[in-house]
Amino acid sequence: FGSSIPIGQASEPARGALLLTMLSRCVLPALSRHSVRRLAPCLWQSRHFARPVCLSDREKRQLVVRGQNVPVSDEFWEYVADDQSVKDGEVYRNNTENYVGTVKYPIGAIGPLKVNGEYANREYVVPMATHEGALLASYSRGAKAITAGGGVTTRIKTRCMVRAPVFIFDNIADANDFYRWAHQDDTQAAVKDTLHKNIGHLTEEHTRLRVFQTDRKVHISVGIDSQDAAGQNKVTYAGDLMMKYMKENYKKRIPEMYIEGGFNAGKRVSVMHTLLGKGHSLVADVIIPKEVCESVLRTTPYRLQRFQKMHNRTNEFIGGISCTAHVANGLAAFYIATGNDPACTAESQAAVTHFDLVNPAGGSTSLFDQDLYASITLNSIIVASMGGGTQLPAFKAARSMMGMPSANELAEICAGVALSGELSFYASMETGTFADAHWNMTHK
């Protein structure tokens, strides 16, 4: 193979290169495409020979990427490739290719936030990562109002991560034949059985198959319960298994099939997930007494719900999918601080906030004497307490502020955080203090 050095005496990178050369010349040509697919991840994970620990050499003050020296400032070695970041290179190698260091992202805290959920059921101090001035002050005010009102009630409706492989046929008639076959109870039972035998921790009652036909394409949404993981990787594997089952058991020809045809709308806002859900689908509500609304939010329930409804009607008029004030701000800050994927904010922020007047204690029926009812529906919250970036040390440490919660507990806390922001944002808009608050807090 062009080298006289025995593999056992070669350095680790050299052994990796020799092994890859031997495989590419002798083994891989004899394997099928699907076999290579299954083998490749094992090869790359065997000793990570394609993933250097860190490309930043602090001793030489040299950053080399793809064989080229990259000029960097002196600050790079103090704030990105500092001693600790280079030492931790081994920790990050599975999460970040071409690792060069870390960025220090500011984390603040809000709370105490009282959550009355099935999994989160106490007061929490919540970490949130942001560099947007005034954001955490606003969320803290919302959390104060919620806690003073007795806490936010949260309930998880479903927990299901999805992937939607697509099957493409020559015409709509052939596609419809496959669509009907895929809809049959026997077919779906067999697919679920295949998934349960090959993927651990799956249960039949929590595995979901939904079939859709669009012209000559058939999309099959595979949904699984990923438990405490986010589940994007596991559901992709489930989708691949389902494709193989269809290919082997459908009696007619399937001309083309792909692991994703766009129906999943991954990390994109969509009506599909707003209605049907992805990840954790949950609801949250709270009653803010009139006195708390006036003392903490500096407005009245009547004025606040009136403004919020006007805001939502305008959002509907312009074709917005997310009927909220700015829930993406809080979700992104919560995701980053807890080691979850901030890109999922794109789909998670498709939510609906609702304010109304209630009179739970009786008494006066005047509109100006009512308490405030506030709720939020979040059908695509994607959080995890294991896997991915959640296991990195800084994110684990941040989550410890909440007591190392499970994914369900995280989701319920997240809903409370989201509603905190909605209350405070609408209040600042309605009272005309939004601009002054930002100016005063960011220009000192």
Side-chain angles (χ1 to χ4, degrees):
F1 297 103
S3 173
S4 59
I5 303 175
I7 290 181
Q9 297 177 14
S11 64
E12 184 174 332
R15 288 199 302 272
L18 289 170
L19 177 60
L20 188 59
T21 300
M22 287 188 289
L23 287 168
S24 64
R25 294 183 183 179
C26 303
V27 180
L28 298 184
L31 297 175
S32 67
R33 180 165 56 92
H34 291 298
S35 299
V36 172
R37 259 192 209 160
R38 291 193 295 268
L39 178 61
C42 301
L43 297 176
W44 289 106
Q45 293 169 9
S46 60
R47 284 295 295 167
H48 306 280
F49 54 77
R51 290 178 169 177
V53 173
C54 187
L55 300 175
S56 301
D57 189 332
R58 279 187 57 80
E59 293 183 4
K60 298 180 180 179
R61 292 279 170 131
Q62 187 177 48
L63 174 63
V64 180
V65 179
R66 293 178 177 265
Q68 296 185 359
N69 289 325
V70 179
V72 294
S73 66
D74 290 339
E75 288 80 7
F76 178 87
W77 303 104
E78 299 304 320
Y79 297 106
V80 177
D82 58 283
D83 284 330
Q84 190 62 48
S85 296
V86 173
K87 289 178 182 177
D88 288 344
E90 188 70 40
V91 176
Y92 291 99
R93 73 188 306 172
N94 283 343
N95 295 82
T96 306
E97 295 78 23
N98 298 325
Y99 172 79
V100 298
T102 60
V103 174
K104 282 66 178 175
Y105 203 89
I107 291 183
I110 70 165
L113 170 65
K114 183 171 175 55
V115 183
N116 303 319
E118 293 180 305
Y119 302 92
N121 196 1
R122 60 182 178 85
E123 291 187 357
Y124 294 88
V125 173
V126 184
M128 297 178 70
T130 183
H131 48 69
E132 181 182 343
L135 183 69
L136 296 195
S138 181
Y139 275 76
S140 291
R141 181 172 71 153
K144 181 178 180 180
I146 285 176
T147 301
V152 56
T153 300
T154 58
R155 290 295 183 269
I156 295 173
K157 299 182 292 180
T158 60
R159 182 177 67 181
C160 187
M161 181 52 62
V162 298
R163 175 67 67 191
V166 60
F167 303 82
I168 304 176
F169 295 85
D170 295 331
N171 51 64
I172 62 169
D174 290 349
N176 191 252
D177 288 341
F178 178 77
Y179 169 83
R180 295 179 182 183
W181 178 77
H183 256 299
Q184 293 177 6
D185 291 342
D186 290 346
T187 303
Q188 298 215 356
V191 170
K192 290 180 181 181
D193 185 61
T194 299
L195 299 185
H196 303 157
K197 288 179 178 177
N198 288 277
I199 303 178
H201 309 299
L202 291 191
T203 57
E204 186 169 349
E205 60 270 23
H206 291 126
T207 301
R208 185 183 71 193
L209 297 175
R210 286 186 171 136
V211 188
F212 306 88
Q213 181 180 357
T214 58
D215 52 68
R216 63 192 184 103
K217 299 183 291 292
V218 177
H219 306 263
I220 302 181
S221 176
V222 182
I224 65 168
D225 179 4
S226 56
Q227 299 186 341
D228 280 331
Q232 283 107 327
N233 292 333
K234 181 175 283 190
V235 78
T236 298
Y237 180 47
D240 189 60
L241 285 172
M242 187 265 290
M243 290 168 59
K244 291 172 183 174
Y245 176 87
M246 297 302 194
K247 187 74 171 179
E248 294 169 1
N249 291 276
Y250 185 54
K251 294 181 180 179
K252 298 181 181 179
R253 186 176 70 95
I254 303 177
E256 297 179 71
M257 60 181 184
Y258 303 97
I259 190 63
E260 182 57 59
F263 221 78
N264 173 48
K267 300 177 183 177
R268 304 190 303 279
V269 64
S270 73
V271 175
M272 174 73 73
H273 299 322
T274 305
L275 295 175
L276 300 181
K278 179 180 181 182
H280 285 79
S281 296
L282 64 164
V283 289
D285 70 357
V286 64
I287 293 177
I288 306 293
K290 180 187 175 188
E291 296 75 17
V292 173
C293 197
E294 291 174 340
S295 63
V296 178
L297 301 178
R298 306 297 182 184
T299 185
T300 67
Y302 173 77
R303 290 168 55 186
L304 190 53
Q305 61 87 31
R306 180 173 175 268
F307 178 83
Q308 192 272 337
K309 288 178 179 176
M310 177 278 296
H311 190 278
N312 262 14
R313 284 194 295 269
T314 304
N315 184 75
E316 292 164 0
F317 175 76
I318 64 173
I321 293 177
S322 179
C323 293
T324 66
H326 71 158
V327 72
N329 264 329
L331 295 179
F334 184 80
Y335 283 7
I336 294 171
T338 57
N340 285 284
D341 189 349
C344 293
T345 304
E347 51 202 320
S348 297
Q349 58 94 24
V352 178
T353 300
H354 175 71
F355 287 2
D356 211 340
L357 296 175
V358 293
N359 187 14
S364 174
T365 58
S366 168
L367 292 176
F368 304 102
D369 293 328
Q370 308 296 297
D371 295 335
L372 178 71
Y373 174 84
S375 69
I376 190 167
T377 300
L378 297 147
N379 277 346
S380 297
I381 294 298
I382 301 173
V383 291
S385 60
M386 61 178 293
T390 64
Q391 301 306 300
L392 296 177
F395 301 129
K396 289 182 69 175
R399 289 200 311 280
S400 71
M401 294 171 60
M402 299 177 287
M404 291 299 184
S406 66
N408 285 348
E409 192 175 354
L410 274 177
E412 292 191 332
I413 296 169
C414 186
V417 169
L419 193 53
S420 298
E422 296 294 279
L423 284 164
S424 188
F425 176 88
Y426 281 123
S428 66
M429 284 290 186
E430 195 281 323
T431 57
T433 57
F434 183 79
D436 285 345
H438 277 73
W439 181 265
N440 293 334
M441 289 188 176
T442 59
H443 289 78
K444 289 183 178 181

